[in-house]
Amino acid sequence: MNTYVLNVMNLPFTIMVNSISKDLKIEKTVKTIHSLLIDADRRFSPFKANSMVSRFQHGDHDVLSDEDFQEVYLKTLLAQVETDGLFDPFYSGVYDPTGVVKGWIVETAFNQVLEPLLRTGQVTAAAINAGGDMIVSANAFQTAWTVGIENPCDTHHYVAAFPLRSGAVATSGSSKRGEHIKRAHHDIVQSTVIADSLVDADVWTTALFAASRDDIPHLIAEHALTAFLVTDSGQYQNYSHGTLVDASSISSHDKEFWR
């Protein structure tokens, strides 16, 4: 397994690629992904004065003519509607798509650069981990990825493990970033969502982290979410496609995890 770490957006992006092809130039592949990440940071960072997001915040609506900006903008508005405002790109008073951009560019890079290599068999397994949120894929001849869920009370240990052949995982919590999103209740200390899309996983883990405990079962059932929650009392809640299942059946012992 070839592993590379790129530092962009003040985050470590870890790329893991398993290849049996002698002709594949993995360093070139990683360089292409790096370029995509840097370009996304340049155009979408709310901390860069000349980014499209900063220009939009200051009233420059010409950026809406950019196809990528349109795509991200529509994704954020749709997420706000689907989550009944729990995911809010205007939570700080101005438009800030940060909660979608990271997942969007990782998904874009994976689909454009790594997915074609998986289809042709040049790569048997690949993953991009963006500060703990990840997208993974492995072909039928490769062992599925095992994704570990950190213990929010002790981030050196794990509370659960999930096998995942293809898909995305995102986690929201207060153990590392504190109370970084607007929420009225603090019943949940960590939420993890597994989905086909990293954007969807990112949006829904944020929404569940922001929601009250009473609202969470309805949201998960209505949208058929697969999620793992840690409550303020240290209990675990495990949902598979909208249905509550026994969390005790998910072992976290004696395994190596990708996080």
Side-chain angles (χ1 to χ4, degrees), residues 2 51 105-106 112 165 172 175 184 194 249 257:
N2 298 276
S51 74
I105 190 56
V106 168
Q112 288 184 6
R165 183 163 298 280
S172 289
S175 62
I194 299 175
S249 64
F257 300 136

Side-chain angles (χ1 to χ4, degrees), residues 188-202:
I188 301 299
V189 296
Q190 181 171 283
S191 64
T192 298
V193 171
I194 299 175
D196 293 333
S197 160
L198 186 53
V199 171
D200 290 344
D202 255 339

Side-chain angles (χ1 to χ4, degrees), residues 45-197:
S45 173
F47 307 108
K48 297 183 185 298
N50 293 323
S51 74
M52 291 190 296
V53 169
S54 293
R55 287 161 53 196
F56 185 76
Q57 290 176 347
H58 289 88
D60 182 0
H61 289 184
D62 289 343
V63 298
L64 286 168
S65 62
D66 182 273
E67 290 185 4
D68 286 343
F69 190 91
Q70 286 180 30
E71 182 180 354
V72 171
Y73 187 64
L74 290 175
K75 284 182 182 294
T76 59
L77 296 185
L78 180 61
Q80 186 177 27
V81 172
E82 287 186 335
T83 64
D84 296 326
L86 290 168
F87 180 94
D88 184 5
F90 299 93
Y91 75 97
S92 63
V94 293
Y95 177 66
D96 184 351
T98 303
V100 160
V101 165
K102 182 182 69 173
W104 168 76
I105 190 56
V106 168
E107 197 167 282
T108 298
F110 194 95
N111 291 339
Q112 288 184 6
V113 181
L114 296 177
E115 189 61 38
L117 300 176
L118 285 158
R119 287 199 304 268
T120 59
Q122 291 178 277
V123 166
T124 60
I128 302 179
N129 182 333
D133 298 338
M134 67 203 74
I135 183 168
V136 304
S137 187
N139 66 22
F141 304 101
Q142 179 77 41
T143 302
W145 294 91
T146 301
V147 179
I149 308 300
E150 281 185 349
N151 184 340
C153 299
D154 183 355
T155 57
H156 296 291
H157 294 87
Y158 301 90
V159 293
F162 296 88
L164 188 62
R165 183 163 298 280
S166 180
V169 182
T171 298
S172 289
S174 56
S175 62
K176 293 182 178 178
R177 298 176 60 189
E179 294 296 337
H180 60 286
I181 63 174
K182 182 179 179 181
R183 57 187 190 142
H185 305 275
H186 297 258
D187 305 279
I188 301 299
V189 296
Q190 181 171 283
S191 64
T192 298
V193 171
I194 299 175
D196 293 333
S197 160

Side-chain angles (χ1 to χ4, degrees), residues 201-221:
D202 255 339
V203 165
W204 280 109
T205 192
T206 299
L208 295 181
F209 188 57
S212 69
R213 191 181 300 185
D214 291 340
D215 293 334
I216 284 175
H218 169 71
L219 286 169
I220 290 177

Side-chain angles (χ1 to χ4, degrees), residues 10-25:
N10 293 320
L11 285 172
F13 288 78
T14 305
I15 301 169
M16 296 186 72
V17 178
N18 191 46
S19 173
I20 58 175
S21 172
K22 296 180 180 179
D23 297 326
L24 178 63
K25 306 297 183 183

